[in-house]
Amino acid sequence: MMGNKIVLFDGVCHLCQWSIQFIISHDPQGYFHFASLQSEIGKELLKSNGLSEHYVSSVVLVENGRIYTGSTAALRIAKQLTFPWRLLYGFMIVPRFIREPIYKYIAKNRYRWFGKDEVCFMPTQELRSRFLD
């Protein structure tokens, strides 16, 4: 999977599901592939990159054999999206110790604010090729 950009997301979180749909609609080149954190592939990628298989605290980006989490993952994803969304990558100049608490606050409250499902998100037939699980 070297060279692939894989986004691991919380498959039961409505905010996360919306984010994946947003990425897909602003990624016409198809840079990203997706897997839920709860899937077997998601758990395998987490473990092989030094994270617990029960990690669901944030989005995870596996890119060229490296792993990124939280605000860094989100901004690195934005970098590949269509204009104007790629401009969000400029927030990388904000130190992580400032960015990350904001990201964690949103992540901590995502179920309360946006809701969650009992089962993981299932992509439509047209999008299935972009999903690894």
Side-chain angles (χ1 to χ4, degrees):
M1 291 190 199
M2 291 290 285
N4 289 342
K5 293 173 176 37
I6 302 168
V7 178
L8 302 176
F9 66 99
D10 182 349
V12 298
C13 167
H14 288 178
L15 174 62
C16 304
Q17 293 170 15
W18 176 84
S19 298
I20 295 308
Q21 292 170 359
F22 182 86
I23 293 167
I24 289 169
S25 67
H26 293 90
D27 176 25
Q29 301 298 324
Y31 290 117
F32 296 106
H33 287 86
F34 307 93
S36 72
L37 289 161
Q38 294 90 343
S39 69
E40 291 306 313
I41 288 177
K43 290 176 183 179
E44 182 182 313
L45 285 167
L46 289 172
K47 285 191 329 188
S48 67
N49 284 284
L51 292 173
S52 166
E53 69 178 56
H54 303 290
Y55 183 89
V56 291
S57 313
S58 77
V59 66
V60 176
L61 174 63
V62 181
E63 180 180 34
N64 299 321
R66 296 199 58 199
I67 194 161
Y68 303 93
T69 61
S71 63
T72 301
L75 294 174
R76 290 185 70 86
I77 291 167
K79 181 180 180 181
Q80 298 297 325
L81 301 181
T82 56
F83 183 83
W85 305 109
R86 68 181 54 201
L87 297 176
L88 292 171
Y89 185 71
F91 282 103
M92 286 293 278
I93 65 168
V94 176
R96 186 177 169 115
F97 73 88
I98 294 172
R99 287 186 279 120
E100 206 57 25
I102 296 166
Y103 182 94
K104 285 182 179 183
Y105 179 74
I106 294 167
K108 180 178 142 187
N109 291 290
R110 70 189 186 272
Y111 295 150
R112 185 172 349 140
W113 295 343
F114 301 98
K116 74 180 218 174
D117 293 320
E118 295 303 315
V119 295
C120 284
F121 165 75
M122 294 299 293
T124 63
Q125 193 62 34
E126 307 86 63
L127 298 177
R128 208 174 264 315
S129 66
R130 302 277 302 272
F131 287 78
L132 301 177
D133 48 345

